[in-house]
Amino acid sequence: MTLSNHPHTRRRRLGVGAAAAGLLAALLAVSPAAATPGPGDESASRTAASSEAAASAKKDVASGEIPGQDEIVHSRNIEHLSNTPKDALASTNSDLAFRGKYAFAGNYDGFRVFDLSNPKKPRTVTQVLCPGSQNDISVSGDLLFLSTDSSRSDDSCNSTTQPATEKSSWEGIKVFDISDVRHPEYVASVETSCGSHTHTLVPERKDVYVYVSSYSPSATFPDCQPPHDGISVIKVPRKSPQQAKVVDFPVLFPDGGNPGGSVNPGVSATTGCHDITTLPSEDLAAGACMGDGVLLDIKNPAKPRVIDRVQDNENFAFWHSATFNQKANKVVFTDELGGGGAATCNAQVGPDKGADGIYDIVGKGDKRKLVFRSYYKIPRHQADTENCVAHNGSLIPVKGKDLMVQAWYQGGVSVWDFTDSTRPQEIAYFERGPLSTDQLALGGSWSAYYYNGYIYSNDIEKGFDVLKISDRRTDPAKRVKVDELNVQTQPDYFD
């Protein structure tokens, strides 16, 4: 289902309004300092909209074509169970990870832990102040990992911003012990080239391998030199995480990758990766690497190897993230047109840009190829004051079906079916009206993931949302339970 199939006058169904010092993590006792964003996703901000955009937004709200400011709308098969506003961590909310009854929510100022025993009333267990954008987050057993992609004065949770041109500046991965989830302990750090915008785990019994995605090198940055055409691989021993270290920097793009710029106008040049998703059960990974999408063999987790590589120089501006289907014969890549801060869900941009690209995986072994089939974009236009583009999502585990829930910033949360790679269609949605009709305000759902029967969304500004979908197509997923979920480390749901 694409934008062209649904005119701008489509109306939504109205929903119900939503009601360390040293190596120790600093549990919040005072208001946190604001983190400084690194390259890529920016901290929440507002910029004045053009008079035309503001007038259009106000007109569309008045006519009912777009929900009113902060008004909640959703499809009939979605129920909004709860919203937990931001508390002590006031900066941008980012990614989510899950273990047992807990959700771990990243924020540019640190992370927050929720007890999900009652999804209608999530309870805050602790909040940890540790600034450093974007605090991409994951968990494995008793270890929690945070990405720092802003140049800091040191690796502590008391660090301050410092120019990347200074050799003493620090960016990379922080490791916490969460065996006592109420009192996380900061136990290790690993500096990585160009920092860590995101990271992805390949968990093993004794060790956890961490693939670190970062980009945008500069000759003026001592610790982020061009060409930066690969990823950092960190090995973390579970019993002694203090010994964590970079064990390799595999070059994924020996030819330099997509040149972007004057060769491919509007396309990002490849200078690293933005995000990688692993499927350990199949020894596969998919990398979203700025101007390129790659399929990787990770049988040797310390040395990922490229099997195939694709580009879309017509409609993809920035390869952002990837999701396998359960059978590992498809990959959904996302295009973060505008870096997440632009209004791209409108008629002017159209249905094929800032969208998902669905690729079939054909062939076997090293002869596997990524073959493009179609695009998917939410079928509801958003106001020109709303940042909206394809962002983080996860599978909904139903045998024989390829179902996904996905965040679209202020475009909300979309549940869609790509069982037929050539004809994806939306089956449910949830969204709020614009944060503003006068300014282009950064907000909306950063991550929307399905975990043990519920959809959890981390909204940049509004906080932590819990949704429940009731639909015959997704109901079988309620029987599937997992003990842990990092969406970028996809489980075999049916093993």
Side-chain angles (χ1 to χ4, degrees):
M1 196 180 293
T2 63
L3 286 169
S4 59
N5 294 332
H6 290 266
H8 192 41
T9 54
R10 173 177 176 175
R11 294 174 182 256
R12 281 81 158 171
R13 173 183 177 271
L14 296 183
V16 180
L23 290 181
L24 292 178
L27 298 180
L28 284 169
V30 295
S31 297
T36 300
D41 302 299
E42 296 181 352
S43 185
S45 62
R46 293 177 181 238
T47 57
S50 68
S51 57
E52 293 83 1
S56 176
K58 291 173 182 176
K59 178 183 177 181
D60 289 342
V61 167
S63 68
E65 295 177 16
I66 288 176
Q69 188 169 342
D70 290 339
E71 180 183 10
I72 289 178
V73 298
H74 54 76
S75 55
R76 295 180 183 272
N77 52 0
I78 286 280
E79 182 182 358
H80 187 206
L81 297 183
S82 65
N83 170 261
T84 307
K86 289 182 183 179
D87 189 19
L89 301 175
S91 193
T92 299
N93 280 334
S94 58
D95 210 5
L96 294 168
F98 304 87
R99 190 194 71 174
K101 66 179 182 179
Y102 299 108
F104 302 83
N107 179 284
Y108 277 40
D109 281 340
F111 65 93
R112 187 175 184 178
V113 183
F114 293 98
D115 185 327
L116 306 177
S117 297
N118 181 358
K120 292 183 178 181
K121 293 183 179 181
R123 182 173 58 85
T124 298
V125 174
T126 191
Q127 300 180 71
V128 176
L129 172 63
C130 200
S133 73
Q134 53 189 11
N135 277 337
D136 188 55
I137 193 167
S138 59
V139 296
S140 182
D142 289 336
L143 299 179
L144 180 147
F145 303 85
L146 281 182
S147 284
T148 299
D149 193 33
S150 57
S151 186
R152 313 297 298 180
S153 57
D154 56 52
D155 64 349
S156 77
C157 286
N158 294 324
S159 68
T160 57
T161 61
Q162 183 168 288
T165 52
E166 294 189 22
K167 176 62 179 174
S168 62
S169 295
W170 185 92
E171 302 178 60
I173 289 287
K174 296 168 181 167
V175 185
F176 290 76
D177 184 324
I178 53 171
S179 53
D180 181 351
V181 74
R182 289 169 174 77
H183 301 91
E185 181 182 1
Y186 180 11
V187 295
S189 68
V190 181
E191 186 172 13
T192 55
S193 175
C194 299
S196 175
H197 195 68
T198 65
H199 68 270
T200 306
L201 306 185
V202 186
E204 297 198 330
R205 289 184 179 181
K206 294 182 179 181
D207 307 301
V208 180
Y209 287 90
V210 184
Y211 294 165
V212 177
S213 295
S214 56
Y215 53 94
S216 294
S218 169
T220 65
F221 298 163
D223 299 319
C224 183
Q225 292 284 298
H228 194 70
D229 46 14
I231 60 173
S232 297
V233 179
I234 298 173
K235 182 179 179 180
V236 185
R238 290 188 185 275
K239 291 185 178 181
S240 51
Q242 297 85 353
Q243 297 179 17
K245 64 180 180 180
V246 175
V247 294
D248 203 357
F249 186 87
V251 173
L252 305 183
F253 304 99
D255 66 349
N258 197 320
S262 58
V263 177
N264 297 311
V267 178
S268 295
T270 299
T271 58
C273 291
H274 180 277
D275 209 349
I276 293 172
T277 292
T278 61
L279 188 58
S281 62
E282 300 291 335
D283 292 329
L284 282 177
C289 302
M290 305 182 71
D292 293 88
V294 294
L295 185 66
L296 302 164
D297 181 308
I298 61 167
K299 188 172 184 179
N300 181 348
K303 296 184 179 296
R305 181 173 56 86
V306 175
I307 300 173
D308 193 31
R309 169 179 155 198
V310 289
Q311 297 178 354
D312 181 347
N313 295 317
E314 179 179 357
N315 289 313
F316 262 44
F318 189 92
W319 294 68
H320 176 275
S321 53
T323 303
F324 288 98
N325 69 335
Q326 181 61 39
K327 291 183 178 180
N329 59 10
K330 299 176 188 176
V331 182
V332 175
F333 288 103
T334 66
D335 171 29
E336 195 182 37
L337 174 68
T344 73
C345 298
N346 51 38
Q348 290 79 10
V349 173
D352 297 339
K353 297 180 184 292
D356 296 314
I358 303 167
Y359 287 74
D360 284 352
I361 301 174
V362 300
K364 296 181 179 181
D366 285 354
K367 294 184 178 181
R368 283 172 287 193
K369 298 291 182 183
L370 292 164
V371 179
F372 173 77
R373 296 304 187 201
S374 67
Y375 297 107
Y376 170 77
K377 194 169 185 179
I378 56 172
R380 296 169 308 288
H381 287 127
Q382 306 296 308
D384 288 340
T385 57
E386 293 181 280
N387 62 307
C388 176
V389 74
H391 213 233
N392 295 350
S394 77
L395 289 185
I396 298 179
V398 175
K399 276 190 175 181
K401 295 288 185 181
D402 295 326
L403 307 176
M404 186 170 176
V405 58
Q406 186 175 10
W408 288 77
Y409 290 112
Q410 284 193 74
V413 175
S414 176
V415 179
W416 57 290
D417 184 334
F418 63 104
T419 306
D420 182 342
S421 302
T422 65
R423 299 184 63 186
Q425 59 179 339
E426 185 173 76
I427 61 176
Y429 69 88
F430 167 90
E431 67 170 289
R432 290 181 170 90
L435 287 169
S436 172
T437 55
D438 296 306
Q439 299 173 306
L440 177 57
L442 183 63
S445 180
W446 179 292
S447 299
Y449 299 147
Y450 186 92
Y451 178 68
N452 292 351
Y454 298 91
I455 293 169
Y456 298 95
S457 168
N458 211 19
D459 188 288
I460 290 172
E461 284 296 306
K462 296 301 181 180
F464 185 67
D465 289 305
V466 184
L467 310 175
K468 183 178 181 180
I469 182 169
S470 298
D471 188 287
R472 60 177 176 78
R473 292 163 289 191
T474 61
D475 285 346
K478 296 176 183 178
R479 299 191 292 267
V480 180
K481 304 294 182 183
V482 295
D483 297 326
E484 190 174 276
L485 180 65
N486 302 294
V487 167
Q488 288 75 31
T489 305
Q490 287 188 220
D492 182 345
Y493 285 103
F494 304 110
D495 182 12

